[in-house]
Amino acid sequence: MALFELTLVLLLIAVALTGLSRRLEIPYPSLLALAGAGLAFVPGAPTIEIDPELALALFIAPVLLDAAYDTSLRDLNRYRLPLAALALGAVIFTTAIVAFVGWKMAGLPIAAAIALGAIVAPPDAVAASAVLGQFKVPHRITAILQGESLLNDATALLVYRLAVSAALGSIMLSNAIPTILLSTIGSLVAGYLLGRFSLLTLTRIEDAASSTVVQFAGTFGVWILADRLGLSAIITIVVYAMTLARRAPRRMSARRRVSTYSVWESAVFVLNVLAFVLMGLQARSIVGRLAGDGQGEAFVFAATVLAVVIVSRLVWVLGYGVIIRWFARFDSGDRRRDVPSVRGGVLVGWCGMRGLVTLVAAFALPAEFPGRDPIVLAAFAVVLGTLVLQGMTLKPLLRILNFDPDRTVDNEVAQARVAIMQAALDVLSRKTSAAAAVVREQYEAQRLIAENPEDAQAATEYDRLRLYAIKRQRDTLEELRRNGTIGDEAYHRLEEEIDWSELAASPAGSFQPLTT
């Protein structure tokens, strides 16, 4: 009961911290990390041990699916070279350097040291995305960071699983390459097939709540099935989510979609909070077990790993930029547009905050794993250090770098809005009723606004007037229920219609799934 009560209190504290982070314009995971670390010093806090396999399935599966669902295949293809350099090159580079430090400094076995490197290698774009969105940095940078956040998780966790298996004696590192190839190919096929099968199920469910439950059950089921078949659960989930993302929207009703997005956003938020709670509670027990001379050495080792993680990413990103810019001198003008700038390299290099994946991978180490306590402590230090040091300095860094505001997404939205409004007008052109005339006028007005994306004042005024009218509609609806003219069932049905109208008039406040 004490644990349940503590969890409720911490969830409410997390909500307050999220509001504070918006006011201070810093990433909310930074404040969650500080709150989680503070739990280590709370007297009487319970000790929690979580099953390693449960930790990976419970935390990683839904977060990976949420991130993969939002990933743009177009951007993955467009920026495939820098993404490969980050998701493969940077992860392997960081893993190798951290593994060397762990082997030399802490005396870890090679496999255990590689596991540590894989745990701390993958950055999390969630911490950076909230701040980057406020400054409208170049779309190329945000697309690369979001794509990297997804792909580097798959790379790092695949290396992690192999290293853990090798450390426990269930596989030899020398035999890992055939295992990786077989696992990768099988996971790609399984993810696609399971995604298509899931679509057949989801299209037959009309109830929003039932559909959401099936989605969560399907996510965990895909992870468990892939794991039982010896495939990479990470790659399988990523391909499964991308398959759903490309085909599910046309087969789901608007009601189900809005409900689903809202639930997934809340679920990912709760998982982040619980992960940081577990971080603090486990850190407390680890520090207690390392009491004495070993405690000081463990803290020095953790601080060293933190410094290595930050520096190695900067070295890799900036070094990659130098090489690409050198080769770009011999390319044509068209290809030079995508050459990374020094400012962009500094920003990408500094957006290396670690988060949920690093925490959960550390939790998931078996109790008998060699060097588990110093490894977990180092992982916690990396998460806390990068979120506080890099997360809280990201806004000042963006002011110094002073990027020009990027309107790529705004322009794409405006262009697509014109096309879809024109499509609606075309299909209504043969309708001659009075109702059709009214609907045509509405679409025509929206198309005219969309045709002038540079006229921000007109677009703002249009949406402002819509919201002004919607507010009056809500007031009238409340009065109708209060005076007994309508009952609650009619009230809620009309309330939902007005909600949809408000979502359409408030692009910045619309439901969007959270990115990891």
Side-chain angles (χ1 to χ4, degrees):
M1 188 64 179
L3 177 60
F4 179 69
E5 294 169 352
L6 176 64
T7 302
L8 290 179
V9 171
L10 290 172
L11 284 174
L12 293 176
I13 292 174
V15 172
L17 291 176
T18 304
L20 179 62
S21 70
R22 292 195 184 100
R23 184 177 295 273
L24 299 177
E25 297 182 329
I26 58 177
Y28 85 86
S30 299
L31 295 182
L32 285 182
L34 288 173
L39 284 176
F41 304 98
V42 175
T47 300
I48 300 177
E49 295 296 335
I50 186 168
D51 179 77
E53 295 300 324
L54 174 61
L56 287 172
L58 177 62
F59 289 96
I60 298 298
V63 171
L64 267 184
L65 183 133
D66 184 59
Y69 194 91
D70 295 336
T71 298
S72 168
L73 289 177
R74 184 199 67 175
D75 288 342
L76 290 181
N77 181 60
R78 178 177 295 175
Y79 304 119
R80 57 187 178 275
L81 182 59
L83 282 172
L86 289 171
L88 292 175
V91 168
I92 294 174
F93 181 70
T94 302
T95 300
I97 294 181
V98 172
F100 179 78
V101 171
W103 175 58
K104 279 290 188 181
M105 187 174 180
L108 296 173
I110 294 295
I114 293 174
L116 170 61
I119 288 171
V120 300
D124 185 357
V126 171
S129 59
V131 179
L132 295 179
Q134 297 167 5
F135 285 82
K136 287 191 175 295
V137 301
H139 175 69
R140 179 181 186 276
I141 292 178
T142 56
I144 288 173
L145 287 173
Q146 290 170 358
E148 178 205 6
S149 179
L150 174 67
L151 299 178
N152 64 15
D153 290 347
T155 303
L157 290 174
L158 185 59
V159 174
Y160 165 83
R161 295 297 290 265
L162 291 171
V164 170
S165 298
L168 297 177
S170 57
I171 191 174
M172 299 295 293
L173 284 176
S174 57
N175 300 327
I177 293 180
T179 302
I180 292 175
L181 291 176
L182 181 61
S183 173
T184 301
I185 295 172
S187 300
L188 292 172
V189 174
Y192 176 76
L193 294 178
L194 289 170
R196 296 302 298 266
F197 176 76
S198 180
L199 284 171
L200 297 176
T201 304
L202 290 174
T203 53
R204 288 170 168 76
I205 301 175
E206 293 299 328
D207 179 63
S210 299
S211 176
T212 303
V213 170
V214 170
Q215 288 178 46
F216 275 96
T219 300
F220 293 121
V222 168
W223 179 282
I224 294 170
L225 179 62
D227 194 55
R228 295 285 173 85
L229 294 176
L231 303 175
S232 168
I234 300 99
I235 297 176
T236 306
I237 280 287
V238 168
V239 176
Y240 170 79
M242 288 184 171
T243 303
L244 289 179
R246 301 299 291 183
R247 292 174 170 82
R250 287 299 302 274
R251 305 185 183 188
M252 292 179 65
S253 66
R255 180 197 298 269
R256 289 165 57 197
R257 187 160 48 251
V258 172
S259 173
T260 297
Y261 286 178
S262 181
V263 172
W264 275 93
E265 183 175 0
S266 300
V268 171
F269 175 77
V270 170
L271 290 175
N272 271 279
V273 172
L274 293 179
F276 284 109
V277 168
L278 289 173
M279 178 188 82
L281 297 179
Q282 290 216 355
R284 178 186 180 91
S285 61
I286 289 171
V287 170
R289 289 196 295 268
L290 293 173
D293 296 336
Q295 188 178 92
E297 294 177 0
F299 278 114
V300 171
F301 174 62
T304 303
V305 172
L306 170 61
V308 168
V309 165
I310 294 175
V311 173
S312 63
R313 178 174 175 85
L314 286 169
V315 168
W316 179 269
V317 173
L318 294 177
Y320 165 82
V322 169
I323 294 172
I324 294 299
R325 284 192 295 274
W326 185 82
F327 278 109
R329 295 185 303 172
F330 309 102
D331 286 339
S332 61
D334 291 339
R335 297 183 62 183
R336 294 185 65 174
R337 290 180 302 177
D338 290 333
V339 172
S341 64
V342 176
R343 288 188 302 168
V346 171
L347 179 58
V348 172
W350 197 247
C351 288
M353 290 78 80
R354 271 56 174 180
L356 184 62
V357 172
T358 295
L359 287 179
V360 175
F363 298 152
L365 288 175
E368 68 276 13
F369 194 81
R372 185 184 191 276
D373 283 351
I375 288 175
V376 174
L377 186 62
F380 291 171
V382 168
V383 172
L384 180 62
T386 55
L387 283 175
V388 173
L389 177 61
Q390 295 178 303
M392 292 189 172
T393 58
L394 188 56
K395 182 180 175 182
L397 176 64
L398 284 166
R399 294 194 186 281
I400 294 172
L401 295 176
N402 193 28
F403 289 101
D404 294 329
D406 186 277
R407 292 185 54 85
T408 300
V409 176
D410 294 337
N411 291 337
E412 289 181 357
V413 169
Q415 180 183 2
R417 184 174 287 135
V418 171
I420 62 177
M421 294 304 170
Q422 187 60 54
L425 287 169
D426 292 342
V427 79
L428 290 171
S429 63
R430 295 182 296 273
K431 304 296 182 181
T432 58
S433 66
V438 172
V439 175
R440 277 198 301 270
E441 287 181 8
Q442 294 176 349
Y443 279 117
E444 184 66 37
Q446 294 179 47
R447 186 181 66 105
L448 290 174
I449 294 294
E451 283 179 336
N452 298 283
E454 300 301 328
D455 190 357
Q457 183 176 357
T460 301
E461 177 70 6
Y462 177 75
D463 287 335
R464 188 186 68 79
L465 289 173
R466 293 172 70 190
L467 293 173
Y468 179 74
I470 287 170
K471 182 179 183 302
R472 180 57 180 163
Q473 285 181 304
R474 290 194 185 280
D475 293 341
T476 302
L477 184 62
E478 290 290 342
E479 178 62 26
L480 290 172
R481 182 171 69 163
R482 188 164 44 247
N483 63 27
T485 302
I486 62 174
D488 279 12
E489 184 176 353
Y491 171 85
H492 288 302
R493 183 177 300 182
L494 290 168
E495 180 186 45
E496 183 181 10
E497 292 179 8
I498 296 175
D499 287 343
W500 281 101
S501 299
E502 184 172 342
L503 285 174
S506 308
S510 60
F511 285 103
Q512 293 292 340
L514 185 64
T515 309
T516 66

